[in-house]
Amino acid sequence: LHAASFLKTRSQGLCSAAPQPSMMRTFIGQYEAALASRPVLTKSITSGVLYGAGDALAQVIAGRNKEPSDSDSAGAEAKGMFDASRWLRAVLFGGVFYPGLAHLHYNFLEHLVVVRWAVPISRVPFAKMFIEQFVYWSYFSNAYYHTVLGALQGFSPQQCYDRVASTLWDTLKAQWMFWIPAQLINFSYVPVRHQLNFVLVVSLFWTTFLSLAFPPEPKKPEPTA
């Protein structure tokens, strides 16, 4: 009787000591569920967080060594100060203006290349990469990025156009060097539902580069007639 009681107690102890799901596994499971039920909202939150992190990292690296200017964030331009308005613009772009369009883009690529054209699976990553980088998305997304950030900074349509015209080619050259290998990996190994998330994680480094290479410009008065 005592032996049976001992074995029962030990069995209960072993069952209670069974490993519980880790916090990371629980988080991943909850994230997957949110991604399935509300994909755009989930990607929007993820994108806003990562764009904000990228700009914050860029500000730390740059050291904020600029002199105060007449821009809308002039007070934060002083040395050593964090430019909260610049950071907020990055979060707004990443969380509001970018993810919906990017979600449509990756689903459109999947439908066009895999469903409509039925490209052989071994060539799918190269077809998607070529269309994205050289047909429409890279030109649009970079012009869109500079236009939206300029508009959020208070630039006029002409000033936004001038900013795009002066930065687009340099941005494209950098994008092709960075994103062509990254997207070949993405399109080769990552499921469609996670492709934007892969881009967002890698974008932590890309956004840092953009914030360093193309920081907010002082708002200049438009010439009068």
Side-chain angles (χ1 to χ4, degrees):
L1 180 62
H2 289 292
S5 177
F6 171 78
L7 290 174
K8 181 178 180 180
T9 302
R10 184 171 179 81
S11 175
Q12 291 174 344
L14 289 174
C15 291
S16 63
Q20 299 296 317
S22 65
M23 290 182 63
M24 179 59 69
R25 179 169 296 197
T26 301
F27 171 78
I28 292 174
Q30 292 174 342
Y31 187 87
E32 285 282 352
L35 194 61
S37 60
R38 296 184 176 180
V40 177
L41 177 61
T42 304
K43 292 172 184 178
S44 296
I45 295 171
T46 306
S47 179
V49 169
L50 291 175
Y51 263 81
D55 185 76
L57 181 60
Q59 292 198 46
V60 170
I61 293 173
R64 309 305 297 137
N65 290 323
K66 294 181 180 179
E67 295 297 325
S69 67
D70 294 330
S71 69
D72 58 345
S73 56
E77 291 287 338
K79 181 179 179 180
M81 292 185 66
F82 183 80
D83 189 341
S85 61
R86 165 181 161 168
W87 175 83
L88 182 59
R89 290 193 295 270
V91 172
L92 283 173
F93 177 82
V96 177
F97 293 96
Y98 173 73
L101 290 174
H103 174 79
L104 292 175
H105 162 65
Y106 287 106
N107 282 279
F108 169 73
L109 271 184
E110 178 73 6
H111 174 78
L112 180 67
V113 174
V114 176
V115 178
R116 185 168 182 179
W117 290 352
V119 173
I121 191 168
S122 61
R123 300 178 185 176
V124 165
F126 298 94
K128 287 185 174 182
M129 181 277 296
F130 182 85
I131 294 170
E132 179 184 77
Q133 297 299 321
F134 299 107
V135 175
Y136 75 97
W137 182 249
S138 62
Y139 311 105
F140 168 77
S141 61
N142 284 300
Y144 182 66
Y145 172 82
H146 290 299
T147 300
V148 170
L149 289 188
L152 290 174
Q153 199 176 343
F155 286 5
S156 69
Q158 182 61 46
Q159 289 171 324
C160 290
Y161 174 83
D162 292 340
R163 178 175 173 83
V164 170
S166 65
T167 58
L168 184 59
W169 178 237
D170 289 335
T171 311
L172 283 172
K173 289 186 292 184
Q175 169 161 321
W176 290 330
M177 292 178 63
F178 182 89
W179 281 110
I180 286 177
Q183 289 295 61
L184 284 175
I185 294 172
N186 189 18
F187 294 139
S188 296
Y189 303 108
V190 180
V192 175
R193 70 181 186 279
H194 289 302
Q195 285 177 359
L196 177 55
N197 287 332
F198 175 90
V199 168
L200 293 175
V201 172
V202 177
S203 286
L204 181 62
F205 305 99
W206 176 246
T207 305
T208 302
F209 163 77
L210 288 178
S211 295
L212 286 169
F214 307 104
E217 299 174 355
K219 187 177 178 182
K220 301 175 183 178
E222 292 190 83
T224 58

